[in-house]
Amino acid sequence: MTADPTTTTTPTGRPRAAVDAPSARVTGADWAVSAVTVIAVCAGTALLDGRLDPGGALPLALQLGLLLLVRRRWPIAVLLLGVQAVIVFRSSGLTDVGWVWPVTAAYFTLAATGRPGPPGRPGLPWAIGVGLVELGFAAAWEASAGAAPRTVLASTGAEALWLALVLAVAAAHRDRRRWRAEVDAGMLRAAREQDAEARRRIAEARLQIARELHDVVAHTLTVVGVQLRVAGEALDDSPDEARTALATAQRVRKDAVDDLRSLIDVLRDPDDGSGDRSGDGIVSGIGDRRGAVPATRPPARLAPQAGLDDLEALVDRIRSTGLDVRLETSGELSRAPAPASLAAYRVVQESLTNTVRHAGAARATVRVLLTGGALHVHVVDNGAGDTGAQTDQEGGGHGLRGMRERVRALGGTFEAGPDRPRGGYAVRAELPVPGFRP
């Protein structure tokens, strides 16, 4: 006879109960084990030519069966009471066969239980100790009753072998349950780690998207705003200058639309290459959750990310706002890896945008140097060094925080603050370039 496992798992693999946690509820399996024990004790007594008396074997079988209904809640007490019942019935002459095998289910339950009593006290040693005491009492009792030594040895030896077999199976069953519980816990832990990693990657992606959107939109709105103001002021007195300013605004707007379109294409499903190049296409791509557009439109090609090669065009756009920008470069900038190149470009872009919007500067200097295994970026202007939007604090504006996050994500260093010796405001960034040799 065997005891049912006390631990199951949910379909998702989550442990439904601890492996060795006792259960206060009597289940159908408990009733089944109780019934099998009653039948087995009666049948075993008959097979061994014992007395199957209504006042002997049957009451013993019923008592052992009823005790097994609470075997999982009190496994030690059930075994002790079961062994006591067997000893009382045998010593009183009410039954004449069986010492260990009538309480097989109680032995199995206790041996298969990892924590029946105080913490750290497993059930197997208890079962072994109780079994040895019962076998010793059985041998002494049969010897005192006048049985031959050979008969005593055969009887107690068979009972000892049966007890050893039951305890071995119980220990194997307990170890298997523990192994399965550890596997389930490991799978659950791995699933949680994967979920946490997925959430972390999603958060990083959202942060990256927020930085890209901020840089593109802030720069575009700043340059376009300046050009529209220039066009408005020159519309009556200098139409040519107004047309030039509007053309510049249109060009900057187109570049921004291309950047946003490239970003939207990245956010689409990788299998969905549909789309167009118009601003309306961007809006429709954002509004349609499926990202679907008419099949007649050609597949969209992702525009390359901005980088150091685009610094000249960026500086020209900023110069069109009236800011005198000097660009100084040194080293083979084309050898900078794409992540560092993009980060350096965005640092320059955001720094110049902040200069136009907040500093009230007349000129700015941009220095980009690739040497010594690092990419150095230095942007300084001659405007107001202490403005509300430009502070070197962790909780500063989105622009400064975005630049700092970009640089630190690549293992670099970032500083921004008033340029005290000469006045104005300075932004400095250093990005490592692994494997670079000048």
Side-chain angles (χ1 to χ4, degrees):
M1 291 164 289
T2 60
D4 67 302
T6 60
T7 309
T8 57
T9 57
T10 63
T12 59
R14 294 178 180 270
R16 185 174 295 161
V19 175
D20 300 313
S23 174
R25 185 169 57 91
V26 178
T27 65
D30 296 325
W31 284 103
V33 172
S34 177
V36 170
T37 297
V38 173
I39 296 173
V41 170
C42 296
T45 302
L47 289 174
L48 295 175
D49 296 329
R51 296 196 311 273
L52 196 60
D53 298 335
L58 185 57
L60 175 62
L62 291 175
Q63 183 175 343
L64 295 178
L66 291 175
L67 286 173
L68 292 176
L69 293 177
V70 292
R71 63 193 173 89
R72 290 188 295 175
R73 185 167 180 81
W74 298 294
I76 296 179
V78 168
L79 178 60
L80 293 177
L81 291 175
V83 170
Q84 181 185 28
V86 171
I87 291 176
V88 169
F89 274 76
R90 286 296 303 270
S91 60
S92 301
L94 299 177
T95 60
D96 53 358
V97 292
W99 290 98
V100 172
W101 62 263
V103 285
T104 296
Y107 273 114
F108 184 95
T109 300
L110 180 58
T113 301
R115 297 289 185 271
R121 187 175 298 174
L124 183 60
W126 279 81
I128 293 175
V130 174
L132 292 177
V133 171
E134 185 179 15
L135 289 173
F137 180 87
W141 174 262
E142 293 188 4
S144 64
R150 178 178 296 181
T151 303
V152 173
L153 180 61
S155 175
T156 56
E159 296 276 4
L161 289 176
W162 177 254
L163 177 62
L165 177 62
V166 171
L167 297 183
V169 173
H173 178 68
R174 180 200 60 192
D175 293 341
R176 180 174 179 274
R177 285 189 305 162
R178 288 181 174 176
W179 172 77
R180 290 189 61 181
E182 291 175 359
V183 170
D184 291 341
M187 292 177 63
L188 180 60
R189 189 162 52 249
R192 288 176 175 172
E193 290 175 356
Q194 291 177 356
D195 188 48
E197 177 66 15
R199 289 197 299 269
R200 184 187 65 81
R201 291 185 178 183
I202 291 173
E204 290 180 354
R206 292 177 61 184
L207 183 60
Q208 178 68 16
I209 292 170
R211 286 197 295 259
E212 293 291 337
L213 286 175
H214 174 273
D215 292 346
V216 172
V217 173
H219 172 73
T220 302
L221 292 180
T222 298
V223 176
V224 170
V226 172
Q227 296 301 327
L228 290 178
R229 187 176 67 249
V230 171
E233 294 174 353
L235 185 61
D236 295 331
D237 299 334
S238 181
D240 291 339
E241 183 179 354
R243 280 193 293 269
T244 301
L246 290 176
T248 302
Q250 286 285 351
R251 185 173 65 255
V252 173
R253 175 261 180 197
K254 180 181 180 301
D255 292 342
V257 167
D258 289 340
D259 289 341
L260 290 175
R261 178 58 184 169
S262 178
L263 183 59
I264 294 300
D265 284 337
V266 172
L267 295 178
R268 287 178 181 270
D269 187 277
D271 296 331
D272 179 17
S274 60
D276 60 49
R277 283 295 185 186
S278 66
D280 293 339
I282 296 176
V283 176
S284 65
I286 296 175
D288 187 357
R289 291 183 179 272
R290 298 169 300 174
V293 292
T296 56
R297 295 177 181 173
R301 297 181 180 178
L302 298 182
Q305 289 278 16
L308 295 177
D309 294 338
D310 302 302
L311 283 179
E312 288 285 355
L314 171 64
V315 169
D316 288 341
R317 288 198 299 269
I318 295 297
R319 285 172 181 158
S320 68
T321 65
L323 179 67
D324 181 17
V325 182
R326 184 174 64 178
L327 175 62
E328 300 175 3
T329 61
S330 178
E332 301 179 55
L333 300 185
S334 59
R335 296 180 58 182
S341 180
L342 172 61
Y345 177 88
R346 294 303 189 197
V347 168
V348 174
Q349 181 187 53
E350 181 62 25
S351 299
L352 293 178
T353 300
N354 285 342
T355 298
V356 174
R357 294 175 61 187
H358 307 292
R363 63 180 180 274
T365 301
V366 177
R367 298 186 181 93
V368 181
L369 173 65
L370 180 58
T371 182
L375 181 62
H376 304 269
V377 180
H378 184 200
V379 182
V380 61
D381 61 54
N382 67 341
D386 290 309
T387 63
Q390 300 190 77
T391 56
D392 189 19
Q393 298 175 355
E394 294 293 335
H398 293 295
L400 278 179
R401 186 162 60 246
M403 288 189 286
R404 184 180 294 109
E405 289 171 350
R406 284 181 184 277
V407 173
R408 290 183 178 177
L410 297 177
T413 58
F414 178 85
E415 296 179 1
D419 192 19
R420 296 299 182 188
R422 293 167 293 183
Y425 195 84
V427 173
R428 297 177 179 86
E430 181 177 329
L431 296 159
V433 181
F436 174 77
R437 295 292 183 271

